Amino acid sequence: MEKYRKKLDTIDQKMKELFLERMEVVIEIAKYKKQHNLPVEDQSRENQMFQELFVNDPILKDLYTKFLLEIIAVSKIYQETLMKEE
Ligand SMILES: O=C(O)C(=O)C[C@]1(C(=O)O)C=C[C@@H](O)C=C1
């Protein structure tokens, strides 16, 4: 059991780093959208992301879709927060 939890800890650490790296890019997107007066949400981009999402196992595909939707939701909250600043 302990060895599996160690593996999960390692994976979670990597996911955290990737999350923070993704948010660095989101900062740049928020700046661009603010400068060009664009809305945070881009439904066509989101549709494209889900169309291009390939996961063989249908159950995991459904769960990964939920996971990605949460990431996008958090990204939109962050962008709204950044745009309200200054
Ligand atoms: O691609 C964009 O326009 C973004 O703002 C990034 C992002 C994302 O986090 O992937 C967030 C909001 C949009 O609705 C679509 C995608």
Side-chain angles (χ1 to χ4, degrees), residues 22 29 33 40-42 45-46 49 75-76 79:
R22 192 181 202 280
I29 290 184
K33 287 187 173 179
V40 165
E41 189 170 75
D42 185 337
R45 167 65 180 159
E46 291 186 28
M49 289 164 79
S75 160
K76 288 188 276 197
Q79 290 188 56

Side-chain angles (χ1 to χ4, degrees), residues 35-69:
Q35 276 167 10
H36 296 83
N37 252 316
L38 293 168
V40 165
E41 189 170 75
D42 185 337
Q43 204 54 63
S44 70
R45 167 65 180 159
E46 291 186 28
N47 292 342
Q48 180 206 345
M49 289 164 79
F50 289 105
Q51 270 160 24
E52 288 170 359
L53 193 156
F54 293 108
V55 178
N56 274 331
D57 182 325
I59 297 170
L60 289 179
K61 182 178 179 173
D62 183 49
L63 292 173
Y64 184 70
T65 299
K66 291 190 169 87
F67 179 69
L68 191 55
L69 273 169

Side-chain angles (χ1 to χ4, degrees), residues 7-22:
K7 279 188 179 183
L8 288 185
D9 284 345
T10 304
I11 292 165
D12 289 345
Q13 181 65 30
K14 286 183 197 163
M15 287 205 305
K16 183 178 76 183
E17 279 159 21
L18 286 173
F19 171 79
L20 295 173
E21 196 180 322
R22 192 181 202 280

